Each structure stands twice: as C-alpha cells, then as structure tokens.
Amino acid sequence: MIRVNQVSKRYGAIEALRQVSFEVNPGEIFGLIGPDGAGKTTLFRILTTLLLPDEGTARVNGRDVVANYKALRAEIGYMPGRFSLYQDLTIAENLAFFATIFGTTIEANYENIRPIYEQLAPFKDRRAGKLSGGMKQKLALCCALIHSPEVLFLDEPTTGVDPVSRKEFWDILAMLKQKGMTILVSTPYMDEATRCNRVGLIQNGELLQIDTPAGIVSRFDQPLWAVTSDEMYRLIQDLRTHPTIKTAYAFGDTVHITVKHSFYPEDLFADLGAKNHQNIEIFPITPTIEDCFIGLMETQKTP
Amino acid sequence: MKAIEVRALTKRFGDFTAVNAINFEVAQGEIFGFLGANGAGKTTAMKMLIGLSRPTSGEATVAGFDVYRQTEQIKRNIGYMSQKFSLYEDLTVWENIRFFGGIYGLSAAKIRKKAVALFERLSLHQEANALVGSLPLGWKQKLSFSLAILHDPKIVFLDEPTGGVDPITRRQFWDMIYEAADRGITVFVTTHYMDEAEYCNRVSIMVDGRIDALDTPKSLKNHFRVETMDDVFLRLARNSQFKEA
C-alpha cells in the first residue's frame, strides 16, 4: 500500500532522511517510532505529496508521490502533528469545510466517522480553538477521514496527550483497522509500539530496524537484567561504575542493565550489599521496545 | 520550612472550577511529580504557584513567599522550564547564558564561572558559539534545564521537560534532575511518561481539579494493588466526570 525506496532528503547541511526504505501492507497499522528530529515528519510530508524527496521514490496506493500527486491527494487522509484546523470555526463547520474541499458531504461519509463523531456531537457548535486536547485530536481525525481515504497518515497524534486519552485514541485506530484502513502513524512513545502490526524504529534520519514488535524484541541479542534497591539514584551510579556492567538505564522502578561475560548476579548482589543498598533484587527480564531502541542507539553511536 | 505549602488553593474561571481546593506540601530537596490528565488543572495550579495567576481562594507559599502578595520574590527564587522550548534560537549558547544570567541579576564574573561549569557538565565546549537553534533537541532541553537553575533557585518547576526526546537523552535529563535535587534544589515536575513518575519521591494525581491521590509511587501501587504507575493513573483518571468538557 505504501512503498518507500531509498528516499533521502536534506535541508542544507542536515540529512533529514538517509536512504529510507520500507513497505506498508494493506490493512496494516505501521508505526514509525522515534524521537523529535528523527525525520518522521519529513517522511510524512514526502508521502503526503507536500515535499519532494532529493533521492529515491515512493508510491502510495499504487501512485507515485511525485508524478501522480494530484490523484493521490484525494485518496489519502493526513493528520499533521501540529493542530491545523480552523480555530475560529466550530466542530461542525470544520468538518463541513473539509468535506466540501474533497467534493463530498458529511452525510455521504458519516458511517466512516460515526463512532468518533458521536463523542464530539454534543459540542458541535463549539469553536475548535476552545476544545480540549483530546477533542481537538478526535476532530482532526474526523476531518482526515471525511473523504473515505484509502490510507491514513497520522503524524504524532498522541504527543503531549495523557495516558488515558492516548489509550482511547489507539482504540479508535484499532477500530479503523478492523474496517480495513491502512494506517501509517508516528509516535515518540515507545510503549505504543505494541499497538502496531509492524514498526520501524527511526533515529537521525535512518531506519534502525523494521519488524513486528515481538520480532524487534526477539532480535535483542544479549541478556537483560533488572536491578532494584531502595535508593534509585545511588543505585544507578553504582551500577554504571561496576566493572561487570556495560550499560545501566532507569526503567520506572528498576534499572535495566546489560552485562559483560564476567557478570554474576550473586557477585553484584554482594557488591551492592557492601555499599549499603537495602532490599536489593536482581532478576532477568524480557526487553521492551524501549530497551531495543536504546540498544540500537548504542550500536549506532559506536560503529 | 517546606519548599511549597498549599492549603485549599482554588481557581475559578466563571462558573468553572479549574483547581478545586487542593492541599499538599513539598519538602526541600524533594522531587515531586505533579500528574494528571490533560485538562485536569495542572497548568492552572502551576501558574498560581509560580506567581503568574492569582488564586480565587485558599493559601499557598512557595520558598516561603505568599502567592498573593509576594509574586516578585517567588519569581526570583524559582526556576521554570516550560514545555515549549524557550531559549533564544538566534542567540549562541554563550549569549543565552549571559542573557539569562543577567535577567537573574548575576554578576559578570559569576556568569562566566557558571558558564564554564555548565560547558563542562554538558560537554558543550565546542558549541559555546553555536546558535542554539542548530543544536539537537536533546541538548536544547538539557541546556534549557541548566539555565532554569543557573541562579541556584530554591525550587525549579519543570513542565513536561522530556516530551519527544529520545530514550537515552530522557534518562540523561533525569540524571540532571537527580543531581539538582542532590544539591538541595526542590524539583516540581509534570510528565506524561509514567515511568518517570517512578523516579519521583512522591507524586500527586489531579482529576477534575482535585488531587485524588498523593503518595510515594510504591505506596500508590500497593494501595491500588497494581504493578505500574501507568495502571494507577488509568485507575484514577477514568473516574473523571468532565474529561471532555
């Protein structure tokens, strides 16, 4: 449904995208996961025909994003990262505006947006500028869906959104997928990877890895341990300077460590005990997507 | 003396009560996580504490100063880092340091001394004369935090400081928070990353203008019998009555 082949883009001295290639299958939720400045938005703008690549080609819904941009625009829905609806128009007016632009009506496509719009309907006469973050996001999604697009592009729809609203938004995406929609979505939140069929981890304009979330985790090629004690900050410092430990990163109430061959949990336990740590626990764990991302960043740093 | 003391603090906008009689205290040197859903009232509460918004009723002191009558003293004694990047992109790193140092009334000698220490800590020597706009986001955030505490404030307020930064930088940022707390600076921080809630000494969770929970992360997890702060948050925030209003 989406086919990206060796796409590069630079802004002056900055290489925003370096030979990025990937494919998105029909009916799939593909997550592009990476921090701000990784190149996610540049890639979205190229795929939605708003920016020309310097090198490489991309096809969406069978059409070349450069040669067939006009036809393609009618077939895709795009929700940009920055809220870009008319703040002075009401919910209903914004929706009617976007329907008109695409030569359709709200009525003709109401089924597409019904489950989302029903949550907005009680406030339909409220101006978009006066809506809460969660509601703005739902309205923007309705506007991106009003012309029944084949492919949906969502650029960081959940950034700055609290965990409850984020979860609700992903529930909506799962529902759209059920109806057969193909979705390319970007996010800086690593935990959202598990809501995607496949993900691409992106950093500094490069795709570090593409796989299913489970596949990415299974590629993590070294043992990972979790360590806890009563004093987190001191624990991290002591772990970082320990001779048998390679990396130590805080993960919630534990510290995740990767280790050298000389590592034995019993020895570490004794060493931490000698430094007066209380309630020490050391146990092996399965990596999360965030562990994998950090691991890939570490190898990228030291080639 | 407590770093922050809040009693029945309330803010109304017309007939809407954004902050509803909240109570809490923050101890000197504590890392206090201020959590809540979008629209729960966090920003409004924070604005009252940093002297930018006058409360409707209730009492609060920040660094010992009253939020009604001593807002200027409050501003002098706190640092603030907003979620929007707020350094001057068209000035160099060094110029930003001089500018913020000057605003806080530090002497030229003191600013120079602080700058050297800051370059050292952030390994920014090479970039001293680079425009801030050209730095990667992670560096900007770290620089922004360093400038928020350049004048050794008693308390620093951080509004979603780590949004969108990569996982390694996010953790380096928390190292800086720990270091600041170690030096006795009280840290008041909001975040949407629930793993970061675990790094706080205590967290409060706002729902519909009230503080519905306030304790150490461990006690909150025990109380709700859940494994993670994410679950604690979901449990509480789902109770919201006017979430989408």
Side-chain angles (χ1 to χ4, degrees), chain B residues 134-203:
Chain B
S134 70
L135 298 180
L137 176 81
W139 285 11
K140 287 185 193 170
Q141 294 297 91
K142 287 188 237 169
L143 180 62
S144 200
F145 177 69
S146 303
L147 291 183
I149 58 172
L150 192 71
H151 57 301
D152 296 316
K154 296 198 173 68
I155 307 167
V156 64
F157 289 84
L158 309 172
D159 196 1
E160 288 184 42
T162 55
V165 308
D166 71 70
I168 292 183
T169 307
R170 201 151 71 80
R171 286 165 177 83
Q172 290 169 343
F173 195 91
W174 272 89
D175 284 344
M176 295 178 69
I177 292 180
Y178 277 125
E179 267 173 44
D182 227 32
R183 277 189 279 149
I185 298 179
T186 306
V187 179
F188 187 95
V189 58
T190 74
T191 179
H192 284 318
Y193 288 100
M194 287 304 123
D195 59 334
E196 294 184 350
E198 306 270 8
Y199 309 155
C200 301
N201 299 121
R202 289 187 306 145
V203 299

Side-chain angles (χ1 to χ4, degrees), chain B residues 212-213 215 217-226 232 235-236:
Chain B
D212 274 10
D215 213 328
K218 200 174 195 171
S219 304
L220 287 174
K221 285 184 285 180
N222 286 342
H223 179 79
F224 289 97
R225 294 162 200 256
V226 293
V232 172
R235 194 69 72 83
L236 283 166

Side-chain angles (χ1 to χ4, degrees), chain A residues 208-248:
Chain A
L208 304 174
Q209 212 163 62
I210 304 167
D211 208 332
T212 59
I216 291 209
V217 167
S218 72
R219 286 205 223 179
F220 194 82
D221 59 355
Q222 50 183 330
L224 189 70
W225 296 79
V227 187
T228 65
S229 89
D230 282 353
E231 282 177 86
M232 271 293 274
Y233 183 45
R234 205 158 65 79
L235 178 65
I236 295 173
Q237 288 177 317
D238 288 341
L239 290 172
R240 272 190 200 139
T241 51
H242 196 272
T244 67
I245 291 174
K246 278 200 276 188
T247 64

Side-chain angles (χ1 to χ4, degrees), chain A residues 264-296:
Chain A
Y264 290 97
E266 308 78 36
D267 294 349
L268 179 63
F269 193 93
D271 292 346
L272 291 174
K275 291 189 170 178
N276 292 320
H277 281 282
Q278 305 291 319
N279 294 315
I280 305 162
E281 285 181 59
I282 303 173
F283 50 95
I285 45 156
T286 310
T288 64
I289 296 287
E290 195 155 352
D291 289 299
C292 300
F293 197 96
I294 288 177
L296 290 165

Side-chain angles (χ1 to χ4, degrees), chain B:
Chain B
M1 186 190 71
K2 296 284 180 186
I4 302 176
E5 286 190 78
V6 174
R7 294 274 163 274
L9 194 67
T10 299
K11 180 80 185 187
R12 285 193 205 92
F13 298 106
D15 56 3
F16 176 70
T17 306
V19 174
N20 192 356
I22 57 173
N23 296 293
F24 64 92
E25 291 179 348
V26 181
Q28 196 69 44
E30 187 174 13
I31 302 175
F32 189 83
F34 198 60
L35 312 183
N38 299 110
K42 296 191 302 291
T43 304
T44 306
M46 190 148 50
K47 276 189 174 167
M48 289 192 279
L49 295 179
I50 62 179
L52 292 181
S53 168
R54 197 181 164 81
T56 308
S57 62
E59 291 164 32
T61 60
V62 174
F65 298 108
D66 184 88
V67 296
Y68 292 91
R69 295 182 308 275
Q70 298 174 299
T71 53
E72 277 314 307
Q73 285 98 317
I74 288 177
K75 286 173 197 164
R76 264 180 245 280
N77 284 280
I78 63 166
Y80 174 62
M81 179 178 162
S82 78
Q83 62 192 85
K84 279 210 189 99
F85 181 68
S86 52
L87 303 183
Y88 289 93
E89 304 243 331
D90 295 340
L91 298 183
T92 65
V93 174
W94 167 233
E95 285 165 344
N96 266 287
I97 296 172
R98 250 168 44 199
F99 177 81
F100 282 95
I103 290 252
Y104 284 113
L106 303 184
S107 68
K110 185 130 195 212
I111 291 174
R112 217 169 301 124
K113 199 167 144 234
K114 289 266 179 195
V116 171
L118 195 154
F119 291 143
E120 188 65 39
R121 187 155 6 111
L122 300 182
S123 330
L124 269 175
H125 299 277
Q126 302 282 320
E127 288 77 14
N129 293 313
L131 293 184
V132 162
S134 70
L135 298 180
L137 176 81
W139 285 11
K140 287 185 193 170
Q141 294 297 91
K142 287 188 237 169
L143 180 62
S144 200
F145 177 69
S146 303
L147 291 183
I149 58 172
L150 192 71
H151 57 301
D152 296 316
K154 296 198 173 68
I155 307 167
V156 64
F157 289 84
L158 309 172
D159 196 1
E160 288 184 42
T162 55
V165 308
D166 71 70
I168 292 183
T169 307
R170 201 151 71 80
R171 286 165 177 83
Q172 290 169 343
F173 195 91
W174 272 89
D175 284 344
M176 295 178 69
I177 292 180
Y178 277 125
E179 267 173 44
D182 227 32
R183 277 189 279 149
I185 298 179
T186 306
V187 179
F188 187 95
V189 58
T190 74
T191 179
H192 284 318
Y193 288 100
M194 287 304 123
D195 59 334
E196 294 184 350
E198 306 270 8
Y199 309 155
C200 301
N201 299 121
R202 289 187 306 145
V203 299
S204 69
I205 299 179
M206 274 189 92
V207 181
D208 299 350
R210 304 177 312 269
I211 288 181
D212 274 10
L214 198 175
D215 213 328
T216 61
K218 200 174 195 171
S219 304
L220 287 174
K221 285 184 285 180
N222 286 342
H223 179 79
F224 289 97
R225 294 162 200 256
V226 293
E227 292 289 315
T228 64
M229 280 304 293
D230 206 30
D231 292 329
V232 172
F233 189 91
L234 290 176
R235 194 69 72 83
L236 283 166
R238 279 214 185 100
N239 296 336
S240 172
Q241 298 301 305
F242 54 79
K243 205 167 134 265
E244 288 298 353

Side-chain angles (χ1 to χ4, degrees), chain A residues 2-63:
Chain A
I2 302 175
R3 183 168 290 184
V4 181
N5 188 18
Q6 300 283 315
V7 164
S8 297
K9 179 78 190 177
R10 40 167 70 243
Y11 302 111
I14 298 165
E15 281 188 277
L17 293 174
R18 296 181 216 181
Q19 303 189 314
V20 168
S21 299
F22 68 100
E23 290 182 13
V24 179
N25 304 317
E28 179 172 63
I29 298 184
F30 189 97
L32 210 51
I33 298 184
D36 287 0
K40 303 189 299 292
T41 299
T42 299
L43 186 56
F44 270 78
R45 293 177 64 84
I46 289 171
L47 295 179
T48 54
T49 78
L50 300 173
L51 192 69
L52 295 171
D54 293 339
E55 287 165 42
T57 56
R59 298 178 84 79
V60 175
N61 203 25
R63 297 184 198 276

Side-chain angles (χ1 to χ4, degrees), chain A residues 108-123:
Chain A
N109 291 301
Y110 189 67
E111 266 314 297
N112 281 332
I113 59 163
R114 190 176 51 81
I116 315 164
Y117 191 71
E118 274 173 355
Q119 301 171 40
L120 298 173
F123 315 98

